[in-house]
Amino acid sequence: MVALIIAAVTACGSGTGTDPRSPVITVVVRDDRGVPVERMPVMAILSTMRVNVSTGRDGTADIRVPDAGTYLVQVTPRAGYVGSTPALSKSVTVDANGKTKVEFTVHREGVSTADPVIIEP
């Protein structure tokens, strides 16, 4: 029975499907006030390979990628947020066994960063 449990746990793995020594892209998403944004969908793309994750409570997500290379990292604003300038996709180069950090800013929906219009009577 114990051997069966050990085999089942080993088969589950970490859910990443890649070696723990593989390269990591750390994605940081904050709103226009600098507050971390959780549950923000993030995707890393290299050729036909895609890795999808979401940010945690601290606004970060670590994406383990199988190989070194240049990845396109995209953030898709969830409900309540809109994109910003620069765009919500960035190209990052990851070295073998390296760690790369990329940061994004999203704006809360309905909040303008433009200067207010002053109407004089």
Side-chain angles (χ1 to χ4, degrees):
M1 185 68 167
V2 172
L4 220 99
I5 293 171
I6 292 172
V9 170
T10 304
C12 290
S14 65
T16 62
T18 58
D19 187 322
R21 295 168 293 177
S22 64
V24 175
I25 302 170
T26 298
V27 180
V28 178
V29 180
R30 299 194 182 284
D31 71 12
D32 49 321
R33 296 178 298 170
V35 176
V37 180
E38 66 179 304
R39 299 183 343 264
M40 191 65 71
V42 178
M43 179 175 17
I45 304 165
L46 175 66
S47 187
T48 59
M49 191 260 341
R50 287 184 161 82
V51 179
N52 294 299
V53 298
S54 291
T55 57
R57 295 184 114 182
D58 62 354
T60 67
D62 283 341
I63 304 173
R64 284 208 179 276
V65 292
D67 298 307
T70 300
Y71 288 81
L72 178 64
V73 179
Q74 295 180 327
V75 171
T76 305
R78 65 177 174 80
Y81 295 91
V82 294
S84 65
T85 301
L88 292 179
S89 63
K90 296 180 181 179
S91 185
V92 297
T93 301
V94 181
D95 296 326
N97 298 323
K99 190 167 188 175
T100 303
K101 183 177 180 181
V102 60
E103 298 183 14
F104 293 94
T105 301
V106 294
H107 294 274
R108 290 166 286 130
E109 211 166 54
V111 175
S112 173
T113 57
D115 292 333
V117 176
I118 299 172
I119 300 174
E120 295 187 28

